[in-house]
Amino acid sequence: MFDVESIRKDFPILQRTVHGKPLVYLDNAATSQKPLAVIDALVEYYERYNANIHRGLHTLAEEATARYEEVREKVRRFINAPDKVSIIFTRNATESINLVAYAWGRTHIRAGDEIVLTVMEHHSNIVPWQVLAKETGAVLRFVDIDDEGRLRDDWRELIGEKTRLVALTQMSNALGTINPVREIANAAHRHGALVLVDGAQSVAHMPVDVQDLDCDFLAFSGHKMLGPTGVGVLYVRRSVLDDMTPFLTGGHMISKVTLEETTWNELPWRFEAGTPNIADVIAFGAAIDYLEGIGMDAVRRHDEALTTYALDVLSQIPNLKLYGPRDPSDRGCAISFNYGELHPHDLGTVLDSYGIAIRAGHHCAQPLMNRLGVPATARASLYVYNRREEIDVLAEGIQEAARFFGDVIDARTRA
Amino acid sequence: MSSTPEPELDELYKDLILDHYRRPRNRRPVAEPKVVGEGFNPLCGDEIAVEVHFNGEVMADVGFEGRGCSLSQASASMMTEAVKGRTVAEARSLIDTFARMMTDPDFQPSDGLGDLEAFTGVAKYPVRVKCATLAWHALLDLLGRRGEAQEEG
């Protein structure tokens, strides 16, 4: 049974006030808040069994290693990966994508090859490919969007014989759009291309099954799904893993080192050089437990219901322009908007004075902002602990900001 | 929430700032020959271009173009008024003073700042400092370009 009020009790930060007002946290697409179970797991690790993993022969090292590796299994189950060796821990989704660009891209992408992206990608799923294209002479192709921010069908023509990789987000961090990943993956595979899915938003907000999606890579991060910062995940299809050379090299990722040469460690540790983020990976395990306790189907239902309500409330505010799909079943709960000529930074500052945390800016998606013809948007993004009342507070806050800047905006609009 | 906005907001958005946002001064190109400098805020994508028509070392006319939030637009507008008719050395000194006002918590407003003192409230909003200094960065860029052009010439 999904009960927002009881969920809220698990998040200590929701008790605090900002500028004397109750915190209304609507910046979940940037990072989520953390339940007590996650915070406790961090403390417990440092108080009870802090040790380096995979090398000590003592009890603490064995306990820490076991708990760290348990989380790998939890992640495997969470995204329904067939094999635990396919789960690589990184620092964040950005590093996960870079790992693919370096460890797979540099040996598989050649001059004239094409990498297909979409205009709605986060910079972290554009820049690594721009760098790779520059180095190799590969060509980037971009799938466009329609007026509601859905992918246009032109991916059917863009994906072809020259395509080596299709890299796209499953759920846009700026528009909320959910993309037809499985269908696109099928087309890519028919042409022998691989598919990388940026799951930074989707894995936190809906059930994601890598076998169902049939993707070759899935990148996501723990901190957007109730876990601590500093933990990312890269899933790699088992058959692709053997084609990848290590990205970071050094300790822990080796099997045998002489002064002349080195043989690599087993999978997946070959891709986890140096002491990993042990504490945060273990606490990330507690975040997965928490989400599984709610159930990802229930998380998605809650998000969709709250998004439906938010779109309804916000669309009733005059002069407010919403971006992204109108049908809540087509989208996640990152909601971008602009109020008339009011700049999102000014809106964000006024909302903050009422304790409301939103994001204002380009959301690390400048090409998308250019495509929409705006420098920036305001964005409210929701999660499991948000409730309808907070949407009402947001709507009132926007109207307060409109009153505060009212005549100014009118004057500028006329000018 | 129907009450008046928090006093803090009024401290940031002083009437003078809102006035310049409402009716930006010198938002227009200047006559040739001119030097142009650009400022870009990577946080929000806002861009401002500043133009100066020089008469020797004197900035005889100053204009700006671009888009942005109230702070960046008002700051650009007030900056053009503040530096118009000043020498390059005077402008550089004013850029330094303005930057200190944005970042130094112990800053004491000095003579010569005039209307620009309206921006003292920004120091309490670190994320907005980039907004308020955008035009000033553009002016610094402009002075750099002018210096390079003079060396080449």
Side-chain angles (χ1 to χ4, degrees), chain A residues 170-308:
Chain A
Q170 188 176 11
M171 180 187 281
S172 162
N173 70 309
L175 297 171
T177 316
I178 296 174
N179 289 323
V181 169
R182 194 189 316 137
E183 208 184 339
I184 292 174
N186 287 344
H189 288 147
R190 274 200 302 278
H191 292 285
L194 298 193
V195 176
L196 179 144
V197 175
D198 173 358
Q201 299 296 328
S202 62
V203 175
H205 290 275
M206 60 195 273
V208 172
D209 178 330
V210 291
Q211 297 187 60
D212 180 51
L213 288 180
D214 202 21
C215 60
D216 302 284
F217 307 99
L218 173 71
F220 60 101
S221 60
H223 72 93
K224 293 187 202 291
M225 49 189 290
L226 311 182
T229 53
V231 179
V233 173
L234 176 66
Y235 157 82
V236 183
R237 188 194 292 274
R238 182 68 187 82
S239 57
V240 177
L241 266 177
D242 291 321
D243 289 343
M244 290 167 57
T245 50
F247 168 34
L248 298 172
T249 55
H252 184 52
M253 52 75 67
I254 49 83
S255 168
K256 187 179 179 193
V257 179
T258 65
L259 287 177
E260 290 77 30
E261 62 175 1
T262 295
T263 51
W264 309 135
N265 195 351
E266 297 292 303
L267 293 167
W269 302 290
R270 172 184 311 177
F271 295 104
E272 293 178 7
T275 299
N277 190 348
I278 304 164
D280 293 308
V281 166
I282 289 170
F284 175 45
I288 293 177
D289 292 343
Y290 190 93
L291 284 172
E292 285 185 329
I294 300 173
M296 289 310 291
D297 284 314
V299 170
R300 172 63 189 153
R301 278 197 301 275
H302 167 79
D303 280 0
E304 201 174 322
L306 204 55
T307 303
T308 305

Side-chain angles (χ1 to χ4, degrees), chain A residues 9-290:
Chain A
K9 291 197 183 84
D10 295 330
F11 290 79
I13 207 168
L14 299 179
Q15 304 302 316
R16 78 161 279 183
T17 56
V18 172
H19 301 299
K21 311 283 194 319
L23 168 67
V24 175
Y25 188 77
L26 303 176
D27 196 16
N28 294 288
T31 196
S32 69
Q33 297 302 344
K34 322 302 174 198
L36 199 55
V38 168
I39 300 165
D40 284 347
L42 279 174
V43 173
E44 193 203 2
Y45 166 76
Y46 283 121
E47 286 187 350
R48 299 281 306 155
Y49 58 98
N50 169 52
N52 213 330
I53 56 170
H54 296 134
R55 55 199 91 183
L57 292 170
H58 52 79
T59 302
L60 298 193
E62 281 174 7
E63 286 179 13
T65 304
R67 295 291 295 277
Y68 180 88
E69 291 301 325
E70 269 170 30
V71 179
R72 201 185 304 278
E73 170 59 19
K74 279 180 190 173
V75 173
R76 183 204 66 74
R77 201 178 58 226
F78 193 71
I79 58 171
N80 195 30
D83 194 334
K84 200 162 81 164
V85 305
S86 287
I87 308 299
I88 299 165
F89 288 118
T90 61
R91 278 187 307 151
N92 45 47
T94 298
E95 184 178 308
S96 297
I97 296 172
N98 274 275
L99 198 159
V100 176
Y102 279 85
W104 178 83
R106 271 158 184 71
T107 46
H108 289 80
I109 301 284
R110 315 221 183 293
D113 288 351
E114 293 184 356
I115 300 170
V116 175
L117 311 171
T118 83
V119 297
M120 72 170 79
E121 297 309 311
H122 189 282
H123 294 162
S124 62
N125 199 24
I126 297 178
V127 182
W129 309 120
Q130 284 177 340
V131 171
L132 181 66
K134 207 162 210 175
E135 282 180 15
T136 57
V139 178
L140 303 185
R141 311 285 303 269
F142 289 90
V143 183
D144 197 11
I145 52 172
D146 65 18
D147 292 342
E148 275 199 31
R150 289 193 192 82
L151 284 187
R152 285 190 190 280
D153 264 356
D154 57 2
W155 56 264
R156 294 176 199 280
E157 284 81 54
L158 282 177
I159 297 171
E161 292 312 311
K162 290 182 177 171
T163 310
R164 288 289 167 276
L165 178 74
V166 179
L168 81 164
T169 181
Q170 188 176 11
M171 180 187 281
S172 162
N173 70 309
L175 297 171
T177 316
I178 296 174
N179 289 323
V181 169
R182 194 189 316 137
E183 208 184 339
I184 292 174
N186 287 344
H189 288 147
R190 274 200 302 278
H191 292 285
L194 298 193
V195 176
L196 179 144
V197 175
D198 173 358
Q201 299 296 328
S202 62
V203 175
H205 290 275
M206 60 195 273
V208 172
D209 178 330
V210 291
Q211 297 187 60
D212 180 51
L213 288 180
D214 202 21
C215 60
D216 302 284
F217 307 99
L218 173 71
F220 60 101
S221 60
H223 72 93
K224 293 187 202 291
M225 49 189 290
L226 311 182
T229 53
V231 179
V233 173
L234 176 66
Y235 157 82
V236 183
R237 188 194 292 274
R238 182 68 187 82
S239 57
V240 177
L241 266 177
D242 291 321
D243 289 343
M244 290 167 57
T245 50
F247 168 34
L248 298 172
T249 55
H252 184 52
M253 52 75 67
I254 49 83
S255 168
K256 187 179 179 193
V257 179
T258 65
L259 287 177
E260 290 77 30
E261 62 175 1
T262 295
T263 51
W264 309 135
N265 195 351
E266 297 292 303
L267 293 167
W269 302 290
R270 172 184 311 177
F271 295 104
E272 293 178 7
T275 299
N277 190 348
I278 304 164
D280 293 308
V281 166
I282 289 170
F284 175 45
I288 293 177
D289 292 343
Y290 190 93

Side-chain angles (χ1 to χ4, degrees), chain A residues 21 346 349 362 400 407, chain B residues 1 6 21-22 42 70 128:
Chain A
K21 311 283 194 319
D346 290 322
T349 294
H362 53 57
E400 283 296 333
D407 73 303
Chain B
M1 200 127 129
E6 301 227 316
Y21 180 46
R22 191 183 290 119
S70 59
R128 303 303 302 276

Side-chain angles (χ1 to χ4, degrees), chain A residues 19 21 341 343 345-346 349-350 353-354 356 360-362 366 375-376 393 396-397 400 404-405 407-408 411-412, chain B residues 1-3 5-6 8-10 12-13 18 21-22 24 27 42-46 67-70 73 125 128 131:
Chain A
H19 301 299
K21 311 283 194 319
E341 292 296 305
H343 193 284
H345 272 186
D346 290 322
T349 294
V350 176
S353 75
Y354 290 108
I356 306 164
H362 53 57
Q366 282 177 18
V393 173
E396 283 178 51
E400 283 296 333
F404 185 73
F405 281 101
D407 73 303
V408 182
R412 287 180 63 85
Chain B
M1 200 127 129
S2 55
S3 57
E6 301 227 316
E8 292 173 38
L9 273 185
D10 292 333
L12 175 66
Y13 294 118
L18 293 178
Y21 180 46
R22 191 183 290 119
R27 193 159 79 161
L43 286 177
C44 56
D46 286 351
R67 60 188 184 184
C69 63
S70 59
Q73 294 289 296
Y125 294 79
R128 303 303 302 276
C131 310

